[in-house]
């Protein structure tokens, strides 16, 4: 690569297609966050029910499991650009119906579920498409990092934007903004990204590949569930998925209980806002540092320590700390989550190309579902125990689980495959190649058997 060529995050932005994906991601994220606030406000305004208002917000997480398991095959079965554009258009349609004055409360909740069920398919397809746009090496890792940073930042900005919009326009008017952002995202992806064949056709003999007549073999449901079974049945892939999921499940406890904890300390709304922002800010700063300063090999080395120790700062809650110590603990736990930069590369290396879309969709669905379960479990525990003990307990139990999981991930290795030298596509040349033996099931689905 020439000396004047951009490096780090600059090299990612130098890829034209990624710039369109990035802009579409930013627009749709801001729209989703604004719609969540506006729809929650609208339901409360129509019903006066705190339960239905809370349920409206929770429905943004629960359908991820359904969409991520039953519809995951879409990500590999059809061209990525088509899937992404159709998902955006379907979401815009659902949001457009929400705006209609005659839509009943049950209809609003059902449409909220529909949008949430589509989300993991969209996210998984986009994550798999990044490997086509940026390659499978360092550019992909940094591209994923940028999208995560945008996700964290958009949540902070989106809540503020949603509050401002609701102050000047009705709730239905604020929801209209989401429909526009989905349509803009669809246009950016349609005209800014290339049309590529689906991943399922990348390997001949695969059960979901298109046949001579162009028809897809097997049912979508069977492909989706079969892909999940293959991925979770592989020891290495299962360990990596859990490395994404389990720390995130426990780390949400202090955020889920931020309001009651602030109330127990006699703190006001400003302190509550700081507590809600501390973890995302810590994550953004740490991820920018890791992505900018550390080499790919160094990022790989911090994965296991980060996953193992990231929840330890939450033990400070056992002493019922004041605002300052609580903010420090939250920021440190957020910073530790930057280990996922290296974990992204391990995951791409472990998953066969023909399963990549389903793998990314399953990853997204499991992450959101377990975060929702973690919030629910923390809330349930706080009904019987003091809030500070619940948060400290989540840190202790989560650390024990993560230590076991880190040991499993280490044993299933390899975990140091990133290299410094890569070409434009970012495809890695492994210094310690993995030995694989491919076997084919009777139905034609590829299985990885590691020696």
């Amino acid at each position: 690569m020439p000396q004047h060529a951009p490096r780090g995050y600059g090299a990612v932005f130098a890829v034209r297609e990624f710039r369109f994906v990035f802009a579409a991601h930013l627009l749709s994220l801001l729209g989703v966050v604004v719609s969540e606030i506006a729809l929650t406000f609208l339901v409360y305004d129509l019903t006066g029910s705190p339960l239905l208002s809370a349920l409206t917000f929770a429905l943004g997480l629960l359908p991820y499991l359904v969409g991520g398991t039953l519809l995951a095959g879409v990500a590999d079965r059809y061209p990525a650009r088509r899937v992404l554009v159709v998902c955006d258009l379907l979401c815009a349609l659902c949001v457009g119906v929400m705006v209609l004055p005659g839509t009943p409360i049950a209809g609003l909740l059902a449409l909220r579920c529909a949008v949430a069920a589509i989300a993991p398919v969209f996210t998984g397809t986009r994550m798999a498409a990044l490997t086509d746009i940026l390659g499978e090496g360092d550019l992909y890792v940094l591209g994923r990092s940028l999208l995560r940073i945008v996700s964290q930042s958009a949540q902070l900005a989106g809540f503020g934007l949603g509050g401002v919009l609701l102050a000047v326009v009705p709730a239905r008017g604020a929801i209209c903004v989401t429909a526009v952002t989905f349509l803009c995202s669809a246009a950016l992806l349609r005209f800014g990204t290339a049309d590529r064949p689906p991943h399922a056709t990348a390997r001949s003999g695969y059960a979901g590949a298109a046949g001579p007549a162009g028809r897809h073999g097997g049912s979508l449901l069977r492909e989706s569930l079969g892909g999940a079974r293959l991925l979770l049945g592989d020891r290495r892939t299962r360990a990596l998925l859990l490395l994404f999921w389990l720390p995130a499940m426990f780390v949400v406890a202090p955020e889920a209980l931020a309001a009651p904890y602030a109330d127990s300390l006699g703190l006001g709304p400003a302190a509550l806002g700081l507590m809600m922002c501390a973890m995302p800010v810590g994550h953004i700063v740490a991820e920018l540092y890791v992505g900018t300063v550390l080499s790919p090999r160094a990022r790989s080395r911090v994965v296991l320590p980060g996953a193992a120790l990231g929840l330890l700062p939450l033990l400070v809650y056992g002493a019922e700390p004041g605002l300052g110590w609580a903010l420090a603990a939250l920021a440190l736990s957020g910073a530790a989550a930057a280990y996922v930069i290296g974990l992204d590369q391990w995951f791409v290396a472990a998953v066969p190309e023909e399963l990549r879309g389903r793998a990314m969709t399953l990853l997204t669905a499991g992450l959101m579902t377990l975060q929702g379960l973690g919030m629910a479990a923390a809330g349930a525990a706080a009904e019987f125990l003091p809030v500070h003990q619940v948060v400290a307990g989540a840190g202790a139990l989560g650390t024990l689980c993560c230590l076991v999981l880190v040991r499993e991930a280490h044993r299933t290795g390899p975990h140091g495959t990133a290299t410094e030298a890569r070409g434009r596509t970012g495809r890695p040349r492994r210094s310690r190649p993995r030995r694989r033996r491919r076997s084919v099931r009777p139905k034609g689905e590829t299985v990885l058997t590691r020696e």
Side-chain angles (χ1 to χ4, degrees):
M1 183 178 294
Q3 290 184 355
H4 64 274
R7 302 180 61 184
Y9 289 120
V12 181
F13 278 117
V15 180
R16 176 182 177 276
E17 280 189 82
F18 179 80
R19 294 198 296 270
F20 281 88
V21 172
F22 181 87
H25 178 61
L26 178 60
L27 278 174
S28 60
L29 263 178
L30 286 173
V32 167
V33 175
V34 169
S35 72
E36 287 177 346
I37 299 172
L39 186 59
T40 301
F41 181 84
L42 176 61
V43 170
Y44 183 74
D45 185 54
L46 293 174
T47 64
S49 170
L51 174 60
L52 287 177
S53 178
L55 181 62
T56 303
F57 201 85
L59 287 176
L61 296 176
L62 299 179
Y64 265 77
L65 181 61
V66 177
T69 54
L70 302 185
L71 302 177
V74 171
D76 287 318
R77 196 175 206 185
Y78 301 101
R81 187 177 72 176
R82 186 191 308 171
V83 173
L84 295 174
V85 172
V86 170
C87 284
D88 268 338
L89 293 178
L90 287 174
C91 289
L93 177 62
C94 291
V95 173
V97 177
M98 290 180 190
V99 177
L100 298 178
T103 306
I105 299 300
L108 292 174
L109 297 181
L111 291 168
R112 178 81 168 100
C113 286
V115 173
I118 294 170
V121 178
F122 179 89
T123 304
T125 304
R126 186 189 60 214
M127 288 166 62
L130 280 184
T131 60
D132 298 322
I133 296 172
L134 300 175
E136 301 176 5
D138 196 43
L139 287 184
Y140 168 80
V141 172
L142 293 177
R144 283 272 294 132
S145 172
L146 278 171
L147 296 186
R148 266 194 306 270
I149 291 170
V150 169
S151 297
Q152 297 282 350
S153 303
Q155 289 185 24
L156 299 176
F159 286 132
L161 179 60
V164 171
L165 278 175
L166 288 175
V168 297
V169 299
R172 294 186 190 275
I175 295 173
C176 284
V177 173
T178 302
V180 174
T181 59
F182 279 129
L183 291 174
C184 291
S185 175
L188 287 169
L189 294 170
R190 171 61 181 82
F191 299 107
T193 61
D195 189 18
R196 297 180 176 88
H199 285 109
T201 60
R203 298 284 187 270
S204 59
Y206 176 65
R215 296 194 173 189
H216 295 279
S219 70
L220 177 61
L221 179 60
R222 184 167 70 244
E223 286 184 21
S224 301
L225 295 178
R229 184 171 60 251
L230 288 174
L231 292 165
L232 293 174
D234 181 79
R235 184 177 176 186
R236 173 65 174 170
T237 306
R238 182 174 62 247
L240 297 183
L241 282 169
L242 290 172
L243 272 179
F244 282 106
W245 293 344
L246 280 186
M249 177 181 178
F250 289 100
V251 82
V252 297
E255 290 186 314
L257 300 175
Y261 186 71
D263 183 64
S264 69
L265 296 180
L267 302 175
L272 174 59
L274 289 174
M275 293 177 68
M276 294 298 292
C277 292
M279 195 174 291
V281 169
H283 189 165
I284 291 170
V285 172
E287 187 140 352
L288 283 172
Y289 175 83
V290 172
T292 303
V293 177
L294 299 187
S295 67
R297 193 176 299 278
R299 293 186 210 123
S300 185
R301 285 198 295 265
V302 303
V303 172
L304 296 183
L309 306 177
L311 296 172
L312 281 179
L314 300 185
L315 297 181
V316 171
Y317 271 78
E320 200 170 2
L323 179 61
W325 284 105
L327 291 177
L330 292 171
L332 284 174
S333 286
Y339 76 89
V340 296
I341 297 185
L343 186 58
D344 279 333
Q345 182 58 53
W346 295 6
F347 192 63
V348 170
V351 176
E353 183 179 352
E354 65 271 24
L355 291 174
R356 192 166 291 156
R358 276 166 290 181
M360 300 302 183
T361 304
L362 180 64
L363 167 60
T364 303
L367 184 64
M368 298 301 290
T369 301
L370 287 179
Q371 282 183 316
L373 290 176
M375 291 179 181
E383 291 289 329
F384 305 97
L385 297 171
V387 172
H388 70 281
Q389 292 182 7
V390 174
V391 176
L397 180 60
T399 298
L400 291 176
C401 293
C402 289
L403 287 173
V404 174
L405 181 57
V406 162
R407 183 172 180 268
E408 172 69 6
H410 180 78
R411 293 179 63 183
T412 58
H415 48 268
T417 59
T419 61
E420 302 288 347
R422 289 182 174 86
R424 166 82 176 188
T425 61
R427 294 184 181 275
R429 292 179 298 176
R430 295 181 180 136
S431 57
R432 296 175 56 191
R434 303 167 64 191
R435 293 190 299 164
R436 294 184 175 184
R437 184 174 68 252
R438 288 188 180 272
S439 60
V440 180
R441 290 189 174 184
K443 292 182 180 179
E445 293 179 327
T446 304
V447 186
L448 291 183
T449 307
R450 289 177 176 76
E451 298 180 3

